[in-house]
Amino acid sequence: RRLDSRSGLAAGLLGEIQTPICTEPLEHVYEVTGELGRGKFAVVKRCVEKVSGKTFAAKFLRKRRRGRDCRAEVIHEMAVLEMARNNARVVNLHAAYETDHDVVLILEYAAGGEIFDHCVSEELLPEAQIVRLIRQTLEGVHYLHQSNVVHLDLKPQNILLTCLSPPGDIKIVDFGLARRLGAVGELREILGTPEYVAPEILNYEPITTATDLWSVGVIAFMLVTGESPFAGDDKQETYLNVSQVNVDYSGEAFSRVSELAVDFIRKLLVKAPEDRPSAAECMSHPWLWQQQLCLSPGPSSTTTRTVRERSCGTKWAAPPED
Ligand code: ADP
Ligand code: MG
């Protein structure tokens, strides 16, 4: 179960896994039902473990892609999930199976679907909820970064919820593009979806943990406005918008967004990676802890904090219509 390829190391891939890959037919153990999602090289289906009646998500990963053997990439995805096993913000890997064409990862089922649905819905989540989801996302990202792993594909489609309504806790999924930093030399790759990736990726500059923080900024933007900050009419325009950090905070979409939310997003959507706060630094941003003050009816005094409390009360607590 060892993958000892130098190319894998240089590309920041992890090669060692502990989870046994079962060759017994998956259908003996699980009843595979409806499709949950699909990407370029994977299909995810809901499945029920026959002995326990428990629901899981089965991610079928193709071993051959574009005529190339990609088992190393699949093993890597498993290895990252194993590395993050102790972190509640990362989806749990339950088991793995292998068929002729696929390796199948049996994952903890996130019943609430993608937070993407909350970015495109008519009704956006209240900021109090968004703050909670962003805080949880940062917890997961912080954990990965402490382990020297960057996700590189953080986007609203890869942040799932344990429950839809009320929104549950987040689970980060899809470690197909994740990479280990600093193993051998620098990591430069063109990866991900232009709409969500940082300028340094598009410019083929070195990748660091700051690359993920850009994506957190994009996700926060989308949750509070329901709009994608850099999406252009075509790929070219999107590229240009990202590399020029062409982002507008003054539009109608921001009319009901708190100033602290804007400040949080502004600090992340900056061109120079070294100027972005780390995940740990983000977690102490006032936007993320102010919420608690909002939810508990605080005493009225004359401190700045109380002023903030009041203003967020009117902005976020949906005053009765008059
Ligand atoms: P890809 O690499 O093809 O993007 P993902 O791991 O992102 O694969 O899975 C594709 C989609 O399948 C996700 O965006 C999500 O909608 C769904 N999905 C993935 N994992 C789960 C899970 N554990 N529970 C529920 N749905 C999931
Ligand atoms: Mg995905």
Side-chain angles (χ1 to χ4, degrees), residues 69-88:
D69 175 16
C70 286
R71 205 164 186 279
E73 273 84 349
V74 175
I75 298 298
H76 164 75
E77 189 163 343
M78 287 181 70
V80 176
L81 289 169
E82 287 182 358
M83 180 280 293
R85 180 156 274 165
N86 292 324
N87 191 271

Side-chain angles (χ1 to χ4, degrees), residues 104-235:
V104 189
L105 308 185
I106 308 294
L107 302 163
E108 167 184 13
Y109 175 53
E114 306 168 6
I115 64 165
F116 182 76
D117 297 336
H118 290 288
C119 297
V120 292
S121 145
E122 280 295 305
E123 214 167 313
L124 297 173
L125 290 172
E127 255 190 49
Q129 281 294 347
I130 296 173
V131 158
R132 192 180 61 87
L133 301 181
I134 291 293
R135 202 192 289 133
Q136 291 188 354
T137 303
L138 286 167
E139 285 166 11
V141 171
H142 178 61
Y143 183 88
L144 294 171
H145 290 181
Q146 275 191 315
S147 317
N148 266 315
V149 168
V150 281
H151 187 286
L152 299 181
D153 200 16
L154 290 174
K155 55 183 178 182
Q157 295 88 336
N158 287 337
I159 311 280
L160 309 186
L161 291 168
T162 54
C163 175
L164 181 64
S165 184
D169 295 323
I170 70 107
K171 296 286 169 183
I172 301 175
V173 301
D174 198 354
F175 290 82
L177 298 185
R179 293 293 181 267
R180 160 150 277 165
L181 285 177
V184 179
E186 268 176 359
L187 192 61
R188 297 166 193 255
E189 278 183 87
I190 300 270
L191 298 165
T193 319
E195 219 176 305
Y196 309 109
V197 299
E200 61 270 21
I201 298 242
L202 301 183
N203 293 333
Y204 205 63
E205 286 161 16
I207 292 165
T208 66
T209 52
T211 300
D212 281 342
L213 274 308
W214 171 279
S215 306
V216 172
V218 175
I219 293 167
F221 186 111
M222 292 182 71
L223 283 169
V224 296
T225 65
E227 291 174 5
S228 183
F230 302 108
D233 290 336
D234 52 43
K235 221 168 164 174

